Amino acid sequence: VMSLECFIGPEGNLLESTEKHAHRLCLPHPILSNKQLSVIRHMDYQGMRSQVIDMTFDARNKNGFHMALERMCQQATQAISDGYSFIILSDRGIAQDQMAVSALVACGAVHHHLVNHHLRTRIGIILETGEAREVHHHCLLTGYGADGINPYLAFEALWQANQEGLLGDDYPDEDSLIYAYKKAVAKGMMKVMGKMGISTLQSYKGAQIFEAVGLASEIIDRCFIGTPSRIQGVNFEVLIEETLRRHRIGFPVAAGQKISVLPNPGDFHWRSGGDAHMWNPSTIFNLQVAARNNSAEAYKEFARQSNEVATRNCSIRGLLKFRTDINKPVPLEEVEAASEIVKRFATGAMSLGAISTEAHESLAIAMNRIGGKSNTGEGGEDSVRYQP
């Protein structure tokens, strides 16, 4: 009942049904191989053509980022006027002095620009980017309007790993390697869609079922219109600076300087000097000591590390604390008695699969005895028959 197949390209009038509505390109999978992208790039079939739009800009230009966004939006509009069916946003032009706009920022900006000008249904958007590699990246790009994605750098990285023998003997050629990657991404995307109750890519595409964490309103209003961003965060100035820093890692300023190994920021595994993780050497060590030696002191240290240090560095709630200076204690005589409160408890809200049948039945019996609501037939007047 789930499918990633999708039709892309100019759509016809939604208020009528004609043969022209079938004049679209069918993609069985949103992830495109290099060969598939090449076919679309050079397509000239019954008026279906593609226009490549460069996502890079001069890294030496302070206003290059904003100018690139505006240029891409204008070129997308012009492509529609020129009769193109698809635009390919590409960062292949990245070089020493050419820095690329983030694929998600570029895709979102162009998508919303066309939506605001009532032109989105007249053209398809395809991404040719080295940024996309994880399932979440593909989900984000699709959710913000991308019709197809060519993660060429992910393919190159897998190809090199296969050449070095890091992937075993399961992939004798490049086609089998790409097929395996696309299959893995497909499973991941369908899992994400399934959690949201969405069956088809057509319903997921452009739906923006996300919430931004750490982005200021100026970025949301420009590229991700309508996306909630409750705590705000970095603005374009910070975003551009971070992009420039990453660019300089790959293209050092010093002439002739090369990097043998790129730094590991610790996105997935804990690395010294990298991103903070809830599970780090200190918390794991203390938990192991507490479990093996039944050490209360080790567990207290583990709890302190988890609740104070790790939580403060890794989660939003770690930045908050309770205020005790604004509320006065409620007089005890104004608090309802526990014997009255428990009458409103209900065990039916507890998941049977989470606590087992035995625990569920025991809780139901206990609630009957104290007069609360339960799933069994013996108890208060609000109780119902327990159905195992």
Side-chain angles (χ1 to χ4, degrees):
V1 298
M2 300 190 68
S3 174
L4 293 181
E5 184 177 272
C6 196
F7 291 91
I8 69 172
E11 302 179 27
N13 188 344
L14 298 178
L15 302 179
E16 62 181 6
S17 179
T18 65
E19 295 179 355
K20 294 183 179 180
H21 284 68
H23 188 56
R24 305 186 71 198
L25 183 64
C26 179
L27 295 182
H29 196 296
I31 308 303
L32 305 175
S33 66
N34 294 343
K35 294 179 181 178
Q36 291 173 319
L37 181 67
S38 179
V39 171
I40 297 176
R41 187 195 302 271
H42 300 98
M43 176 185 296
D44 190 1
Y45 177 72
Q46 296 185 359
M48 300 181 74
R49 299 178 298 150
S50 299
Q51 173 70 52
V52 178
I53 297 179
D54 186 16
M55 289 197 296
T56 66
F57 63 94
D58 190 344
R60 298 164 295 184
N61 189 343
K62 294 183 179 180
N63 298 321
F65 191 97
H66 294 284
M67 293 173 61
L69 283 181
E70 188 63 31
R71 170 181 55 80
M72 287 187 287
C73 292
Q74 296 302 323
Q75 288 180 343
T77 303
Q78 186 61 42
I80 296 176
S81 301
D82 295 340
Y84 287 97
S85 301
F86 310 101
I87 54 174
I88 301 176
L89 303 179
S90 175
D91 58 16
R92 283 272 192 177
I94 189 172
Q96 178 78 39
D97 297 326
Q98 289 295 116
M99 189 166 66
V101 175
S102 169
L104 182 60
V105 170
C107 179
V110 172
H111 170 74
H112 280 292
H113 171 79
L114 296 178
V115 170
N116 292 336
H117 289 79
H118 311 289
L119 299 171
R120 182 62 185 90
T121 59
R122 296 179 57 183
I123 202 164
I125 300 177
I126 298 175
L127 270 293
E128 181 184 28
T129 175
E131 278 192 339
R133 54 194 181 275
E134 304 172 22
V135 170
H136 184 61
H137 298 163
H138 298 303
C139 289
L140 278 170
L141 290 171
T142 303
Y144 284 98
D147 293 301
I149 308 166
N150 170 240
Y152 64 86
L153 192 58
F155 293 147
E156 293 289 341
L158 289 172
W159 178 83
Q160 180 178 342
N162 196 37
Q163 290 293 105
E164 296 175 354
L166 301 177
L167 304 181
D169 301 325
D170 297 331
Y171 309 103
D173 52 38
E174 183 179 354
D175 290 338
S176 62
L177 191 66
I178 294 176
Y179 172 80
Y181 176 79
K182 293 176 64 175
K183 182 179 180 181
V185 173
K187 288 186 176 182
M189 293 185 70
M190 285 194 289
K191 183 177 181 180
V192 173
M193 290 164 51
K195 288 182 177 181
M196 302 302 298
I198 298 175
S199 299
T200 65
L201 188 71
Q202 184 67 39
S203 299
Y204 188 76
K205 187 188 302 180
Q208 300 189 180
I209 310 179
F210 301 96
E211 179 172 347
V213 179
L215 289 181
S217 296
E218 65 170 312
I219 298 179
I220 299 296
D221 296 340
R222 183 71 172 85
C223 307
F224 313 117
I225 299 174
T227 301
S229 183
R230 293 179 172 84
I231 63 172
Q232 295 298 300
V234 303
N235 53 18
F236 270 118
E237 182 181 358
V238 178
L239 183 65
I240 296 171
E241 177 62 28
E242 291 180 349
T243 304
L244 181 59
R245 289 179 182 178
R246 286 194 298 270
H247 183 78
R248 286 173 177 170
I249 293 175
F251 296 92
V253 177
Q257 182 180 355
K258 294 183 179 180
I259 298 178
S260 57
V261 178
L262 291 173
N264 188 337
D267 291 339
F268 305 104
H269 301 87
W270 183 90
R271 292 291 183 271
S272 178
D275 287 345
H277 287 260
M278 294 288 288
W279 291 104
N280 54 61
S282 178
T283 55
I284 293 175
F285 170 77
N286 285 305
L287 181 61
Q288 290 177 338
V289 172
R292 292 171 180 172
N293 303 332
N294 197 26
S295 172
E297 292 299 323
Y299 180 79
K300 288 182 179 179
E301 180 60 22
F302 159 74
R304 188 190 68 81
Q305 286 280 342
S306 299
N307 297 330
E308 298 179 12
V309 180
T311 301
R312 184 171 62 251
N313 294 335
C314 303
S315 65
I316 297 174
R317 64 185 174 89
L319 304 177
L320 306 175
K321 63 181 181 179
F322 289 105
R323 291 191 60 179
T324 59
D325 59 333
I326 58 174
N327 295 324
K328 296 181 179 180
V330 178
L332 189 59
E333 56 271 12
E334 296 182 11
V335 180
E336 190 174 3
S339 58
E340 296 299 320
I341 294 177
V342 295
K343 292 181 179 180
R344 296 192 296 272
F345 285 5
T347 60
M350 299 181 183
S351 171
L352 176 63
I355 63 175
S356 80
T357 301
E358 294 78 10
H360 209 270
E361 292 175 348
S362 298
L363 285 169
I365 294 172
M367 293 303 296
N368 281 327
R369 291 178 177 176
I370 63 175
K373 300 176 184 179
S374 69
N375 302 75
T376 62
E378 301 174 0
E381 60 181 4
D382 295 324
S383 62
V384 296
R385 177 67 61 183
Y386 177 75
Q387 298 292 338

Short mmCIF file of all heavy atoms in Angstrom, two decimals, residues 330-382:
data_model
loop_
_atom_site.label_atom_id
_atom_site.label_comp_id
_atom_site.label_asym_id
_atom_site.label_seq_id
_atom_site.Cartn_x
_atom_site.Cartn_y
_atom_site.Cartn_z
N VAL A 330 0.88 26.01 47.85
CA VAL A 330 -0.57 25.92 48.04
C VAL A 330 -0.84 25.33 49.42
O VAL A 330 -0.24 24.32 49.81
CB VAL A 330 -1.19 25.01 46.95
CG1 VAL A 330 -2.70 24.88 47.17
CG2 VAL A 330 -0.90 25.58 45.58
N PRO A 331 -1.73 25.94 50.19
CA PRO A 331 -2.06 25.38 51.52
C PRO A 331 -2.54 23.94 51.41
O PRO A 331 -3.31 23.60 50.50
CB PRO A 331 -3.17 26.31 52.02
CG PRO A 331 -2.94 27.60 51.28
CD PRO A 331 -2.43 27.21 49.93
N LEU A 332 -2.09 23.11 52.31
CA LEU A 332 -2.39 21.69 52.23
C LEU A 332 -3.89 21.41 52.30
O LEU A 332 -4.39 20.48 51.66
CB LEU A 332 -1.69 20.95 53.38
CG LEU A 332 -1.73 19.42 53.32
CD1 LEU A 332 -1.08 18.93 52.03
CD2 LEU A 332 -1.03 18.82 54.53
N GLU A 333 -4.65 22.27 53.03
CA GLU A 333 -6.08 22.04 53.15
C GLU A 333 -6.82 22.30 51.82
O GLU A 333 -7.96 21.89 51.64
CB GLU A 333 -6.68 22.91 54.25
CG GLU A 333 -6.43 24.40 54.10
CD GLU A 333 -5.13 24.82 54.76
OE1 GLU A 333 -4.33 23.94 55.13
OE2 GLU A 333 -4.94 26.04 54.93
N GLU A 334 -6.15 22.99 50.90
CA GLU A 334 -6.76 23.24 49.60
C GLU A 334 -6.46 22.13 48.59
O GLU A 334 -6.98 22.15 47.47
CB GLU A 334 -6.27 24.58 49.03
CG GLU A 334 -6.69 25.78 49.87
CD GLU A 334 -6.23 27.08 49.24
OE1 GLU A 334 -5.76 27.04 48.08
OE2 GLU A 334 -6.32 28.13 49.91
N VAL A 335 -5.60 21.20 48.96
CA VAL A 335 -5.24 20.10 48.06
C VAL A 335 -6.21 18.95 48.25
O VAL A 335 -6.51 18.55 49.38
CB VAL A 335 -3.80 19.61 48.34
CG1 VAL A 335 -3.43 18.46 47.40
CG2 VAL A 335 -2.82 20.77 48.17
N GLU A 336 -6.70 18.41 47.15
CA GLU A 336 -7.66 17.32 47.21
C GLU A 336 -7.02 16.06 47.79
O GLU A 336 -5.85 15.78 47.55
CB GLU A 336 -8.20 17.01 45.81
CG GLU A 336 -9.38 16.07 45.80
CD GLU A 336 -9.96 15.91 44.41
OE1 GLU A 336 -9.38 16.49 43.46
OE2 GLU A 336 -10.98 15.22 44.25
N ALA A 337 -7.77 15.32 48.56
CA ALA A 337 -7.26 14.11 49.19
C ALA A 337 -6.89 13.06 48.15
O ALA A 337 -7.52 12.95 47.10
CB ALA A 337 -8.30 13.55 50.16
N ALA A 338 -5.85 12.28 48.47
CA ALA A 338 -5.40 11.24 47.55
C ALA A 338 -6.50 10.22 47.28
O ALA A 338 -6.62 9.68 46.17
CB ALA A 338 -4.16 10.55 48.10
N SER A 339 -7.32 9.95 48.27
CA SER A 339 -8.39 8.97 48.10
C SER A 339 -9.42 9.42 47.08
O SER A 339 -10.09 8.59 46.46
CB SER A 339 -9.08 8.72 49.45
OG SER A 339 -9.60 9.94 49.97
N GLU A 340 -9.53 10.72 46.86
CA GLU A 340 -10.45 11.24 45.85
C GLU A 340 -9.78 11.34 44.48
O GLU A 340 -10.42 11.14 43.45
CB GLU A 340 -10.96 12.62 46.28
CG GLU A 340 -11.78 12.62 47.55
CD GLU A 340 -13.02 11.76 47.40
OE1 GLU A 340 -13.65 11.80 46.31
OE2 GLU A 340 -13.38 11.03 48.35
N ILE A 341 -8.48 11.64 44.50
CA ILE A 341 -7.76 11.78 43.24
C ILE A 341 -7.69 10.46 42.49
O ILE A 341 -7.91 10.39 41.29
CB ILE A 341 -6.34 12.33 43.48
CG1 ILE A 341 -6.41 13.76 44.03
CG2 ILE A 341 -5.52 12.30 42.19
CD1 ILE A 341 -5.05 14.34 44.37
N VAL A 342 -7.41 9.36 43.21
CA VAL A 342 -7.22 8.07 42.56
C VAL A 342 -8.50 7.56 41.91
O VAL A 342 -8.45 6.68 41.04
CB VAL A 342 -6.69 7.02 43.56
CG1 VAL A 342 -5.31 7.40 44.03
CG2 VAL A 342 -7.65 6.85 44.72
N LYS A 343 -9.66 8.09 42.30
CA LYS A 343 -10.91 7.64 41.70
C LYS A 343 -10.99 8.03 40.22
O LYS A 343 -11.78 7.46 39.47
CB LYS A 343 -12.10 8.24 42.45
CG LYS A 343 -12.26 7.70 43.87
CD LYS A 343 -13.47 8.30 44.54
CE LYS A 343 -13.64 7.74 45.97
NZ LYS A 343 -14.81 8.32 46.64
N ARG A 344 -10.18 9.00 39.82
CA ARG A 344 -10.19 9.44 38.42
C ARG A 344 -9.08 8.77 37.60
O ARG A 344 -8.95 9.04 36.42
CB ARG A 344 -10.04 10.96 38.36
CG ARG A 344 -11.21 11.70 39.00
CD ARG A 344 -11.17 13.19 38.65
NE ARG A 344 -9.97 13.84 39.20
CZ ARG A 344 -9.91 14.37 40.42
NH1 ARG A 344 -10.96 14.28 41.23
NH2 ARG A 344 -8.82 14.95 40.84
N PHE A 345 -8.28 7.93 38.24
CA PHE A 345 -7.23 7.22 37.52
C PHE A 345 -7.88 6.17 36.61
O PHE A 345 -8.90 5.58 36.95
CB PHE A 345 -6.27 6.54 38.49
CG PHE A 345 -5.32 7.49 39.17
CD1 PHE A 345 -5.44 8.85 38.98
CD2 PHE A 345 -4.32 7.02 39.99
CE1 PHE A 345 -4.58 9.74 39.61
CE2 PHE A 345 -3.45 7.88 40.62
CZ PHE A 345 -3.59 9.25 40.44
N ALA A 346 -7.27 5.92 35.47
CA ALA A 346 -7.79 4.93 34.53
C ALA A 346 -6.64 4.11 33.95
O ALA A 346 -5.70 4.67 33.39
CB ALA A 346 -8.56 5.61 33.40
N THR A 347 -6.70 2.80 34.11
CA THR A 347 -5.65 1.93 33.58
C THR A 347 -5.81 1.70 32.08
O THR A 347 -4.91 1.21 31.43
CB THR A 347 -5.65 0.58 34.29
OG1 THR A 347 -6.94 -0.04 34.09
CG2 THR A 347 -5.41 0.75 35.78
N GLY A 348 -6.97 2.04 31.55
CA GLY A 348 -7.19 1.81 30.13
C GLY A 348 -6.28 2.63 29.25
O GLY A 348 -6.06 2.30 28.07
N ALA A 349 -5.73 3.72 29.78
CA ALA A 349 -4.84 4.56 28.98
C ALA A 349 -3.44 3.97 28.85
O ALA A 349 -2.64 4.45 28.06
CB ALA A 349 -4.75 5.95 29.60
N MET A 350 -3.16 2.93 29.65
CA MET A 350 -1.84 2.31 29.59
C MET A 350 -1.80 1.28 28.46
O MET A 350 -2.75 0.54 28.25
CB MET A 350 -1.51 1.63 30.92
CG MET A 350 -1.47 2.58 32.10
SD MET A 350 -1.04 1.73 33.62
CE MET A 350 -1.16 3.06 34.79
N SER A 351 -0.71 1.27 27.74
CA SER A 351 -0.57 0.37 26.60
C SER A 351 -0.36 -1.06 27.07
O SER A 351 0.56 -1.35 27.83
CB SER A 351 0.60 0.80 25.72
OG SER A 351 0.87 -0.16 24.74
N LEU A 352 -1.20 -1.97 26.60
CA LEU A 352 -1.06 -3.38 26.95
C LEU A 352 0.26 -3.93 26.42
O LEU A 352 0.93 -4.72 27.09
CB LEU A 352 -2.24 -4.18 26.37
CG LEU A 352 -2.19 -5.70 26.56
CD1 LEU A 352 -2.25 -6.04 28.04
CD2 LEU A 352 -3.31 -6.38 25.80
N GLY A 353 0.64 -3.52 25.23
CA GLY A 353 1.89 -4.01 24.65
C GLY A 353 3.13 -3.52 25.37
O GLY A 353 4.19 -4.13 25.29
N ALA A 354 3.01 -2.41 26.10
CA ALA A 354 4.17 -1.84 26.76
C ALA A 354 4.40 -2.42 28.15
O ALA A 354 5.55 -2.48 28.62
CB ALA A 354 4.02 -0.32 26.85
N ILE A 355 3.34 -2.85 28.84
CA ILE A 355 3.51 -3.29 30.23
C ILE A 355 3.12 -4.74 30.46
O ILE A 355 3.15 -5.21 31.60
CB ILE A 355 2.70 -2.39 31.18
CG1 ILE A 355 1.19 -2.52 30.90
CG2 ILE A 355 3.14 -0.95 31.07
CD1 ILE A 355 0.33 -1.75 31.88
N SER A 356 2.75 -5.47 29.41
CA SER A 356 2.41 -6.89 29.47
C SER A 356 1.00 -7.11 30.02
O SER A 356 0.44 -6.27 30.74
CB SER A 356 3.41 -7.69 30.32
OG SER A 356 3.14 -7.56 31.69
N THR A 357 0.45 -8.26 29.67
CA THR A 357 -0.91 -8.61 30.11
C THR A 357 -1.01 -8.71 31.62
O THR A 357 -1.97 -8.23 32.25
CB THR A 357 -1.34 -9.95 29.47
OG1 THR A 357 -1.29 -9.82 28.05
CG2 THR A 357 -2.74 -10.34 29.91
N GLU A 358 -0.03 -9.36 32.26
CA GLU A 358 -0.06 -9.56 33.70
C GLU A 358 -0.07 -8.23 34.46
O GLU A 358 -0.85 -8.04 35.40
CB GLU A 358 1.14 -10.40 34.14
CG GLU A 358 1.13 -11.84 33.63
CD GLU A 358 1.56 -11.95 32.19
OE1 GLU A 358 2.04 -10.95 31.63
OE2 GLU A 358 1.42 -13.05 31.61
N ALA A 359 0.80 -7.31 34.03
CA ALA A 359 0.86 -6.01 34.69
C ALA A 359 -0.45 -5.25 34.49
O ALA A 359 -0.96 -4.58 35.39
CB ALA A 359 2.04 -5.20 34.17
N HIS A 360 -1.01 -5.36 33.29
CA HIS A 360 -2.25 -4.65 32.99
C HIS A 360 -3.40 -5.16 33.85
O HIS A 360 -4.19 -4.38 34.39
CB HIS A 360 -2.57 -4.83 31.50
CG HIS A 360 -3.34 -3.69 30.91
ND1 HIS A 360 -4.71 -3.65 30.90
CD2 HIS A 360 -2.92 -2.54 30.32
CE1 HIS A 360 -5.12 -2.53 30.31
NE2 HIS A 360 -4.05 -1.84 29.94
N GLU A 361 -3.48 -6.48 34.00
CA GLU A 361 -4.54 -7.06 34.81
C GLU A 361 -4.37 -6.72 36.29
O GLU A 361 -5.34 -6.43 37.00
CB GLU A 361 -4.56 -8.58 34.63
CG GLU A 361 -5.00 -9.00 33.22
CD GLU A 361 -4.89 -10.50 33.02
OE1 GLU A 361 -4.27 -11.16 33.87
OE2 GLU A 361 -5.42 -11.01 32.02
N SER A 362 -3.12 -6.74 36.76
CA SER A 362 -2.86 -6.41 38.17
C SER A 362 -3.24 -4.97 38.47
O SER A 362 -3.83 -4.67 39.53
CB SER A 362 -1.38 -6.65 38.50
OG SER A 362 -1.05 -8.02 38.32
N LEU A 363 -2.92 -4.07 37.55
CA LEU A 363 -3.28 -2.67 37.75
C LEU A 363 -4.80 -2.49 37.75
O LEU A 363 -5.36 -1.71 38.54
CB LEU A 363 -2.66 -1.81 36.64
CG LEU A 363 -1.16 -1.55 36.77
CD1 LEU A 363 -0.62 -0.94 35.49
CD2 LEU A 363 -0.89 -0.62 37.95
N ALA A 364 -5.47 -3.24 36.88
CA ALA A 364 -6.92 -3.13 36.81
C ALA A 364 -7.56 -3.59 38.11
O ALA A 364 -8.51 -2.97 38.62
CB ALA A 364 -7.44 -3.95 35.63
N ILE A 365 -7.06 -4.71 38.68
CA ILE A 365 -7.58 -5.21 39.95
C ILE A 365 -7.33 -4.21 41.07
O ILE A 365 -8.20 -3.94 41.91
CB ILE A 365 -6.93 -6.57 40.28
CG1 ILE A 365 -7.36 -7.63 39.25
CG2 ILE A 365 -7.30 -7.02 41.69
CD1 ILE A 365 -6.61 -8.94 39.39
N ALA A 366 -6.13 -3.64 41.07
CA ALA A 366 -5.81 -2.65 42.11
C ALA A 366 -6.71 -1.43 42.02
O ALA A 366 -7.17 -0.90 43.05
CB ALA A 366 -4.34 -2.25 41.99
N MET A 367 -6.98 -0.98 40.80
CA MET A 367 -7.83 0.19 40.63
C MET A 367 -9.26 -0.11 41.08
O MET A 367 -9.96 0.76 41.62
CB MET A 367 -7.82 0.64 39.17
CG MET A 367 -6.48 1.18 38.69
SD MET A 367 -5.90 2.56 39.68
CE MET A 367 -7.16 3.76 39.36
N ASN A 368 -9.72 -1.33 40.87
CA ASN A 368 -11.05 -1.71 41.32
C ASN A 368 -11.15 -1.62 42.84
O ASN A 368 -12.16 -1.19 43.41
CB ASN A 368 -11.39 -3.13 40.87
CG ASN A 368 -11.81 -3.16 39.40
OD1 ASN A 368 -12.42 -2.20 38.94
ND2 ASN A 368 -11.49 -4.21 38.70
N ARG A 369 -10.10 -2.04 43.51
CA ARG A 369 -10.12 -2.09 44.97
C ARG A 369 -10.12 -0.70 45.59
O ARG A 369 -10.63 -0.52 46.71
CB ARG A 369 -8.94 -2.90 45.48
CG ARG A 369 -9.07 -4.40 45.16
CD ARG A 369 -7.87 -5.18 45.63
NE ARG A 369 -8.05 -6.62 45.37
CZ ARG A 369 -7.12 -7.53 45.60
NH1 ARG A 369 -5.94 -7.15 46.11
NH2 ARG A 369 -7.35 -8.79 45.34
N ILE A 370 -9.53 0.27 44.89
CA ILE A 370 -9.50 1.62 45.45
C ILE A 370 -10.60 2.49 44.86
O ILE A 370 -10.69 3.68 45.16
CB ILE A 370 -8.14 2.30 45.22
CG1 ILE A 370 -7.86 2.48 43.73
CG2 ILE A 370 -7.03 1.52 45.88
CD1 ILE A 370 -6.58 3.24 43.45
N GLY A 371 -11.41 1.89 43.98
CA GLY A 371 -12.56 2.64 43.48
C GLY A 371 -12.28 3.45 42.24
O GLY A 371 -13.09 4.31 41.86
N GLY A 372 -11.15 3.23 41.56
CA GLY A 372 -10.85 3.97 40.34
C GLY A 372 -11.43 3.30 39.12
O GLY A 372 -12.09 2.27 39.20
N LYS A 373 -11.17 3.90 37.95
CA LYS A 373 -11.67 3.36 36.70
C LYS A 373 -10.68 2.34 36.15
O LYS A 373 -9.48 2.54 36.21
CB LYS A 373 -11.85 4.48 35.67
CG LYS A 373 -12.84 5.55 36.11
CD LYS A 373 -12.90 6.66 35.08
CE LYS A 373 -13.81 7.79 35.55
NZ LYS A 373 -13.86 8.90 34.56
N SER A 374 -11.22 1.24 35.61
CA SER A 374 -10.33 0.21 35.10
C SER A 374 -10.98 -0.49 33.93
O SER A 374 -12.04 -0.10 33.45
CB SER A 374 -10.00 -0.80 36.20
OG SER A 374 -11.17 -1.54 36.51
N ASN A 375 -10.33 -1.58 33.48
CA ASN A 375 -10.85 -2.35 32.37
C ASN A 375 -11.59 -3.61 32.81
O ASN A 375 -12.02 -4.40 31.99
CB ASN A 375 -9.71 -2.77 31.44
CG ASN A 375 -8.93 -1.60 30.91
OD1 ASN A 375 -8.15 -1.02 31.64
ND2 ASN A 375 -9.15 -1.24 29.66
N THR A 376 -11.68 -3.86 34.10
CA THR A 376 -12.31 -5.08 34.57
C THR A 376 -13.78 -4.84 34.90
O THR A 376 -14.24 -3.70 34.99
CB THR A 376 -11.60 -5.63 35.82
OG1 THR A 376 -11.72 -4.67 36.86
CG2 THR A 376 -10.14 -5.88 35.53
N GLY A 377 -14.51 -5.91 35.12
CA GLY A 377 -15.93 -5.77 35.35
C GLY A 377 -16.31 -5.64 36.81
O GLY A 377 -17.48 -5.47 37.13
N GLU A 378 -15.34 -5.74 37.72
CA GLU A 378 -15.65 -5.69 39.14
C GLU A 378 -15.02 -4.45 39.74
O GLU A 378 -13.81 -4.36 39.88
CB GLU A 378 -15.11 -6.93 39.86
CG GLU A 378 -15.70 -8.23 39.30
CD GLU A 378 -15.06 -9.44 39.92
OE1 GLU A 378 -14.18 -9.24 40.78
OE2 GLU A 378 -15.41 -10.56 39.57
N GLY A 379 -15.78 -3.46 40.06
CA GLY A 379 -15.22 -2.25 40.63
C GLY A 379 -16.22 -1.13 40.62
O GLY A 379 -17.41 -1.33 40.82
N GLY A 380 -15.72 0.09 40.36
CA GLY A 380 -16.58 1.25 40.36
C GLY A 380 -17.61 1.21 39.25
O GLY A 380 -17.53 0.42 38.32
N GLU A 381 -18.53 2.13 39.29
CA GLU A 381 -19.63 2.14 38.33
C GLU A 381 -19.15 2.53 36.93
O GLU A 381 -19.84 2.25 35.94
CB GLU A 381 -20.70 3.12 38.79
CG GLU A 381 -20.18 4.55 38.93
CD GLU A 381 -21.26 5.49 39.42
OE1 GLU A 381 -22.36 5.00 39.73
OE2 GLU A 381 -21.00 6.70 39.48
N ASP A 382 -17.97 3.15 36.83
CA ASP A 382 -17.46 3.55 35.52
C ASP A 382 -16.59 2.48 34.89
O ASP A 382 -16.08 2.67 33.79
CB ASP A 382 -16.63 4.84 35.65
CG ASP A 382 -17.48 6.01 36.08
OD1 ASP A 382 -18.63 6.06 35.63
OD2 ASP A 382 -16.98 6.84 36.86
#
